[in-house]
Amino acid sequence: MFIIPRRNIIYRSWTFVLAFIALISVHITPIYMAFLSKSALSVLDVIMNVIFFMDWVLGFFVAHEDSTTHAQMARNYLLRSYGIPDFVSLIPVQLFLWPSSNVVYIIFIVVRLWRFRRVIVSISWLEAKNPKWFEWTPFIKFIWVILLNMHMWGCIYYLIASIDPDEGMSWTSGKKDFFKQTFKTKYVTSTYFAMTIYSTVGFGDYHACSVAEMITCMINMITNTGLSAQVLEQFIELVNERRRRKKKSAPLLLGCDVRNVTKETMEIVSNKEVIAVNQDLLGVQAKKVRMEGDAEIWAGPLSGYRVAVVFLNRGPQKHIDITANWNDIGIPPKTVVQARDLWEHKTLKTPFVNKLRATVESHACKMYVLKPVA
């Protein structure tokens, strides 16, 4: 049976290629929607559609949780993953070219923006894989989102004005013969108008005139308020994170007679991987997230989107199976993680999705660091 592992290096490279193509698609889609003629068959659009269709077909062969047959993989891809929205984003917009279907045409163009998720997933994976390299990416992402927001709203404002090109009743009335200008002039002017809406309510030279434009401006200003709050929050978090990195971690004290410490005890207290969790730059204390009888689960976030998890068996029962669900320990659902056993000093070969289970002996514990990989 042909199965593609999620961690396969070729498949991972393929996802990055798709993320790059999706990045292009997200920027081109608003321009295609607003400025290009609906009767023009975009060769680039067709090529990108073919590539994403190939990926959609491959999705039926990618291993998912609890998938042992192709039927199970197909069901999981369609019902528990992104198979259906991915397919909807593949519908050729060229099918909706007749004049009576402008609204449907625009809807299916906007659906193409769903491909943007591939960019976010790829960047998140890179951040988790190389946290030191990508510590500034959260701020860069939000700056990019602002620029993309201006780009999209500029195209939307032009589209609204072009539907009823009466320059006396449109925001384009500030520029004579606006629709006869070059593409560069129309695009820059539309983006400039979107920027004035983002920063204020206009500079006077361009302002909403029709009811449709006024409603669009109100929606734009409301969404921009939330976006600005998110950007400010991200910037503050970034500054606080860098401050935390500059602080020295708390010292560790050994409360025993070091002259009589056994070799076994010394191996425990000198475990470098466990000490690294204690001295992690994020500096967030772990907490008990679940307790069932003598079984306890402790978890806490680490830098680089990692999570430390401890399974503790306080009772006399020799073997207890303890399961930590992602919702309990702060990992998003369906996230694929790699588990590092800190006592055994080895990385478990099998990746985990949605939960981690381990058998713990009496009065013992197991400690893992979970690192997202997909």
Side-chain angles (χ1 to χ4, degrees), residues 226-280:
L227 180 62
S228 299
Q230 286 287 333
V231 171
L232 182 60
E233 179 185 1
Q234 191 71 27
F235 180 76
I236 294 174
E237 178 63 26
L238 180 62
V239 173
N240 291 337
E241 173 67 16
R242 294 187 66 83
R243 287 178 177 175
R244 284 194 294 264
R245 288 175 180 268
K246 293 180 179 180
K247 293 181 180 179
K248 293 183 178 180
S249 300
L252 291 175
L253 302 178
L254 190 60
C256 65
D257 189 346
V258 294
R259 297 172 298 177
N260 300 319
V261 172
T262 63
K263 182 179 179 181
E264 181 182 7
T265 301
M266 184 56 67
E267 288 179 353
I268 294 175
V269 299
S270 62
N271 188 316
K272 292 183 178 180
E273 294 189 74
V274 176
I275 294 175
V277 171
N278 176 268
Q279 302 289 295
D280 186 75

Side-chain angles (χ1 to χ4, degrees), residues 65-266:
E65 181 191 13
D66 302 328
S67 298
T68 57
T69 65
H70 279 146
Q72 290 177 334
M73 285 191 291
R75 183 179 65 252
N76 288 340
Y77 180 52
L78 291 175
L79 302 180
R80 298 168 60 182
S81 187
Y82 304 109
I84 294 178
D86 283 347
F87 177 78
V88 174
S89 67
L90 289 172
I91 298 178
V93 296
Q94 288 80 15
L95 296 177
F96 305 96
L97 299 180
W98 49 90
S100 61
S101 60
N102 282 333
V103 176
V104 179
Y105 173 85
I106 293 173
I107 290 175
F108 277 95
I109 279 287
V110 173
V111 168
R112 296 287 181 86
L113 298 177
W114 165 255
R115 296 170 180 174
F116 184 64
R117 72 164 181 90
R118 298 178 182 273
V119 182
I120 297 176
V121 170
S122 297
I123 293 177
S124 299
W125 184 85
L126 288 174
E127 289 176 338
K129 197 73 173 177
N130 304 285
K132 292 183 179 179
W133 295 359
F134 295 90
E135 62 177 353
W136 281 97
T137 51
F139 183 66
I140 295 175
K141 280 191 298 186
F142 275 92
I143 294 296
W144 173 49
V145 167
I146 291 176
L147 297 177
L148 180 61
N149 181 56
M150 299 302 101
H151 168 71
M152 292 179 58
W153 280 106
C155 293
I156 291 174
Y157 284 125
Y158 178 85
L159 178 64
I160 294 175
S162 64
I163 292 176
D164 185 16
D166 183 1
E167 296 188 357
M169 286 299 296
S170 172
W171 66 268
T172 60
S173 58
K175 197 174 189 67
K176 187 177 180 180
D177 297 329
F178 176 76
F179 294 100
K180 297 179 181 179
Q181 304 294 324
T182 62
F183 166 76
K184 177 182 177 181
T185 301
K186 292 187 291 186
Y187 173 76
V188 172
T189 305
S190 301
T191 307
Y192 167 76
F193 178 56
M195 182 64 76
T196 63
I197 298 299
Y198 180 80
S199 57
T200 176
V201 292
F203 290 144
D205 48 354
Y206 297 104
H207 58 276
C209 295
S210 66
V211 174
E213 290 175 353
M214 292 179 184
I215 294 175
T216 305
C217 284
M218 288 189 288
I219 296 174
N220 190 4
M221 285 186 280
I222 292 173
T223 57
N224 286 341
T225 301
L227 180 62
S228 299
Q230 286 287 333
V231 171
L232 182 60
E233 179 185 1
Q234 191 71 27
F235 180 76
I236 294 174
E237 178 63 26
L238 180 62
V239 173
N240 291 337
E241 173 67 16
R242 294 187 66 83
R243 287 178 177 175
R244 284 194 294 264
R245 288 175 180 268
K246 293 180 179 180
K247 293 181 180 179
K248 293 183 178 180
S249 300
L252 291 175
L253 302 178
L254 190 60
C256 65
D257 189 346
V258 294
R259 297 172 298 177
N260 300 319
V261 172
T262 63
K263 182 179 179 181
E264 181 182 7
T265 301
M266 184 56 67

Side-chain angles (χ1 to χ4, degrees), residues 47 54 108 127 129 160 286 322 331 336 366:
I47 293 175
M54 292 169 56
F108 277 95
E127 289 176 338
K129 197 73 173 177
I160 294 175
I322 304 177
I331 298 179
V336 182
K366 288 193 174 182

Side-chain angles (χ1 to χ4, degrees), residues 40-74:
L41 183 63
S42 172
V43 177
L44 181 60
D45 181 72
V46 173
I47 293 175
M48 289 191 294
N49 244 17
V50 171
I51 294 175
F52 282 109
F53 177 76
M54 292 169 56
D55 179 69
W56 185 75
V57 174
L58 286 177
F60 289 93
F61 300 94
V62 177
H64 291 263
E65 181 191 13
D66 302 328
S67 298
T68 57
T69 65
H70 279 146
Q72 290 177 334
M73 285 191 291

